[in-house]
Amino acid sequence: MQKKIKYAVGIDLGGTSIKIGVVSNDGKTLYKTSLDTEADKGPDNVIKQIKKGIHSVLDKNKIKVKGIGIGAPGVVTLKTGTVENPPNFPGWEKIELGKVIKKEFNLPVHVENDANAAAVGEMIFGAGRKYDSFIMVTLGTGVGGGVIIDKKLYRGEFGAAGEIGHITIDFDGPKCNCGSFGCIEAFIGNQYLVNSIKDELPNHPGSLINKLIEQDYVNLTPKIIDIAAEEGDEYAISIIKAVGRYLGSALASVSNLLDVSTFIIGGGVAGFGKPLFDEVIKTTSSRVLKPLQNRVKVLPAKLKNDAGIKGASALVYYVTG
Ligand SMILES: [Zn+2]
């Protein structure tokens, strides 16, 4: 029997932009738009922008939607859709975002932490569809995580579960933004990674990276490392392998803790591709307890473009079917 097509609004609330789209229950984005978050103007303004964006996609489409899903940074309380202390949102402490949006549009609203929404997105539309349990890892400015166990998102006691980025991999290591030391994020989060390469690059004068950034560190991004590695640059390849080793050692701990051995990796740094995935799987397999060794799977995320919008809309289908 053919599945009846339904629609939902998905909102990816980020520190610089708000991405909004209408996504069908077979994972297609029908229409999307993007607005500046203007987070520095305060939370009331951010809410104004979100409402404006939703009105714009709904008015243009005249489509009946099942509900609105919002992926937001910070800790989220499900019942009220309360978003607490999202990083990079000045003045935003605790706001019942779900309630506010529901009141405006009179539609069911599901708010979830953005990394958790990414995991739900992969479960409903992406690489996680055929697995009962998996861990989603998003490599970006931060290192986000989402835990799916028996087709359900594991949220923990307060909805803050899945913070893989803050697993300590070196207890004497560099200070992390979270206040702890030696978290995996303090090694492979975009900014930390770029900073450590800046420090080391003078020791590699022959590296292609120097040429690609035209001696200006502003141009140094994970993408540049990827390009240099594809050209066979040894230093760039060694960076990618190191990222894989750091990540793999953290994932081995996760696997031992939860007995979940499938990992789905997305986000910008996942663009390093095969060399990264090979190293992650090698490290994870060699470090998990013996019975798990042959079961470790590391897969690239399937949702790439619009991943945030699709993950957020998947929250609606996850709850309502
Ligand atoms: Zn940390």
Side-chain angles (χ1 to χ4, degrees):
M1 203 177 81
Q2 221 172 6
K3 208 157 107 178
K4 191 171 177 284
I5 296 289
K6 300 170 191 166
Y7 301 97
V9 175
I11 302 169
D12 177 12
L13 176 59
T16 50
S17 71
I18 304 166
K19 299 187 183 98
I20 302 184
V22 175
V23 181
S24 62
N25 60 338
D26 57 357
K28 292 196 182 82
T29 308
L30 264 83
Y31 179 79
K32 60 178 173 175
T33 187
S34 173
L35 297 89
D36 289 335
T37 311
E38 298 175 354
D40 52 332
K41 292 188 187 163
D44 287 345
N45 187 68
V46 175
I47 291 167
K48 197 184 88 201
Q49 291 292 86
I50 297 172
K51 286 179 181 171
K52 198 169 133 191
I54 301 173
H55 276 300
S56 120
V57 295
L58 289 181
D59 295 351
K60 274 206 178 83
N61 286 279
K62 308 275 178 224
I63 272 176
K64 224 178 142 221
V65 296
K66 295 274 294 175
I68 299 170
I70 305 177
V75 176
V76 173
T77 309
L78 273 194
K79 212 170 158 204
T80 42
T82 304
V83 179
E84 244 175 276
N85 295 104
N88 308 317
F89 284 72
W92 184 309
E93 284 168 15
K94 229 175 174 181
I95 290 173
E96 292 181 333
L97 182 63
K99 244 182 171 174
V100 172
I101 300 300
K102 188 170 187 252
K103 203 173 155 205
E104 174 88 9
F105 295 93
N106 199 23
L107 281 165
V109 179
H110 306 279
V111 189
E112 185 51 272
N113 166 271
D114 48 9
N116 283 346
V120 172
E122 288 296 326
M123 169 168 63
I124 304 280
F125 299 133
R129 281 175 74 169
K130 40 180 191 175
Y131 298 96
D132 287 342
S133 304
F134 67 89
I135 311 286
M136 171 77 197
V137 184
T138 310
L139 304 175
T141 312
V143 176
V147 178
I148 301 290
I149 293 178
D150 295 332
K151 295 267 178 210
K152 284 202 171 65
L153 175 72
Y154 178 73
R155 308 188 76 257
E157 282 185 82
F158 302 104
E163 290 287 349
I164 285 170
H166 303 288
I167 290 177
T168 301
I169 56 167
D170 176 0
F171 74 90
D172 262 343
K175 187 154 194 202
C176 178
N177 260 339
C178 75
S180 183
F181 294 88
C183 300
I184 175 112
E185 186 168 302
F187 287 88
I188 67 168
N190 270 358
Q191 208 45 53
Y192 295 99
L193 185 64
V194 164
N195 286 341
S196 79
I197 299 167
K198 268 184 207 166
D199 292 343
E200 271 185 49
L201 201 53
N203 303 327
H204 302 272
S207 168
L208 181 59
I209 298 171
N210 292 292
K211 211 171 136 197
L212 290 170
I213 63 168
E214 295 163 341
Q215 308 299 335
D216 189 349
Y217 287 132
V218 175
N219 300 326
L220 186 57
T221 59
K223 183 80 203 154
I224 292 282
I225 311 305
D226 194 27
I227 295 168
E230 274 183 18
E231 293 290 324
D233 185 73
E234 276 182 31
Y235 175 53
I237 294 169
S238 78
I239 293 167
I240 294 176
K241 285 192 168 174
V243 170
R245 276 198 304 280
Y246 294 140
L247 186 56
S249 63
L251 297 189
S253 301
V254 173
S255 199
N256 286 337
L257 176 71
L258 298 173
D259 182 21
V260 173
S261 38
T262 302
F263 297 93
I264 298 175
I265 304 182
V269 172
F272 286 157
K274 195 174 180 305
L276 173 71
F277 284 80
D278 285 352
E279 201 63 31
V280 174
I281 199 158
K282 198 170 109 190
T283 310
T284 311
S285 310
S286 69
R287 285 175 178 242
V288 288
L289 295 174
K290 265 221 153 52
L292 301 174
Q293 254 165 18
N294 296 324
R295 293 181 5 212
V296 174
K297 282 193 196 73
V298 181
L299 314 164
K302 214 169 152 191
L303 306 184
K304 293 197 166 73
N305 298 333
D306 308 339
I309 292 175
K310 285 182 181 169
S313 70
L315 297 169
V316 177
Y317 301 123
Y318 172 56
V319 176
T320 60

